[in-house]
Amino acid sequence: MAPKPTVGIIGAGAGGIAMGIQLAEGGYEFTIFDRADGFGGTWRHNTFPGAACDVPSHLYSYSFALNPRWSKTYANQPEILAYLERVAAQHGLTPHLRPGTAINTMRWSDVRRRWTLITDDGDEHEFDVVVSAVGMLDVPHTPDILGAQRFRGRRFHSSRWDHSKSTAGERVASIGTGASAIQYVPAIARKTAHLTVFQRTPIWIAPRFDFPFTSEQHELFERDPAMAQKLRDEAFDAYESASFDTDHAQTREATELARSYLHRKVSDPELRAKLTPDYPAGCKRPLMSRDWYPTFALPNVSLETTAIAELTERGVRTVDGVEHRVDTIIYGTGFKAADYLASIDVYGTGGRHLREEWTQGAEAYLGTLVAGYPNFFMLYGPNTNGVNSIIYIHEAQTTFIRHILDVLGDRGAHTVEVTPDAQRRYNDEIQADMVGKVWLACTNYFRHPSGKVVTQLPYSGRKFFERTRVMVEDDYWTK
């Protein structure tokens, strides 16, 4: 039996925490690196007003750490961050964390059969195994708009919210209408002098059924965890029964329900037309809000659908020549979700460069291993998104990785790598199963510029979990 390998984890969000817990239970030596000052990942960075989860709280929890005191159906950012920090502390992960440490390069040595992690400061750390837990929502997407440097006011991305000064009383431009914007726009709108929302593509919105849990329910969940588990199971089953086929009745019904909701909430036919998408519900990320449509009825809020030409010293100029004068510009333009590991240069066997190999879109085996990169694993990797709570997927992947490392030790082996043939077969299957899926019906962040869907999982979370329960012998090389 070989000595247990040392493990470096990049990222201290929900995935990094789950991985750390698995490794701690297995007696592995590990270090968790994160550029932030603590645990939480995306829930530490995204502090914009109104930030909340769009997965029910009891499902957006670790199965081994159910929280009986979630405040409401869909928890807000501070509550989720506190939960993640608490779980990490309770499982003894704090001594393993290296905060304020950004990793920008990973290099595999064919001679030493080890990974070297290089920080922004040039420090080097060596490990036998590396797990990337940076996830999809790692690098903010800030559009390259002509004249951006000329603008004299504030500019910031929603995931790096500037809390040094309130937007109250200001003229504000919000660029983008994605998942973050539908939360922060209603949260700041009423107190702004004027808010202009620049929309490139309209989005389907469903009503958000968000209810507070009572103190009696909290006591019940604590006294009888099975009742909290029941809520979790109901939410889980709802996700598992969802269809993502474009021609499925469920997709048509979801589209018509969203259309009906829009018609009920927006009476102005011109505004309604601007807010009506031309693609089926589900093609872009499903969104829920009871505040988005009413916000546009406010006298100090306007929707602008004319394309942006440039930024000026005083605001935003659209292609029709109109200058919209503003004090602050907020980019609600999401993340480079399809550009996996965009913040890290990864070099594998023979010096191969992962970014170069992914020029037509990222791919991996079970979203976790990549051929040519021994002892390297990813959480929230290619084609693991969209069909269930990512916490559930994290648990599936971290259990899978722990199992592989345990098998490695039992065999007295030092390295494990997925074979190129196994990775090719798996990804051919994934892309074949994309045919007919709603994600191909419009332009979205799920797709690489090549057109390939690189983020979404085309089958159920439960099926993914089952496939990660075993190591298919011929799919791996161990040495």
Side-chain angles (χ1 to χ4, degrees), residues 429-440:
E429 172 196 332
I430 285 284
Q431 293 306 317
D433 287 343
M434 289 294 175
V435 175
K437 298 299 181 188
V438 71
W439 307 309
L440 292 169

Side-chain angles (χ1 to χ4, degrees), residues 148-216:
Q149 299 304 320
R150 291 201 303 261
F151 180 61
R152 292 181 176 178
R154 285 191 298 169
R155 292 183 298 124
F156 56 85
H157 191 275
S158 63
S159 67
R160 304 294 185 266
W161 195 273
D162 181 4
H163 292 281
S164 66
K165 181 183 177 185
S166 172
T167 55
E170 290 192 335
R171 297 166 300 175
V172 179
S174 174
I175 299 175
T177 54
S180 300
I182 71 157
Q183 294 183 343
Y184 73 70
V185 163
I188 68 172
R190 292 182 182 278
K191 292 185 178 181
T192 62
H194 191 272
L195 173 60
T196 304
V197 177
F198 289 86
Q199 172 189 278
R200 184 173 61 178
T201 307
I203 49 176
W204 288 120
I205 299 287
R208 187 182 186 91
F209 297 101
D210 198 6
F211 303 107
F213 293 111
T214 65
S215 58
E216 290 78 14

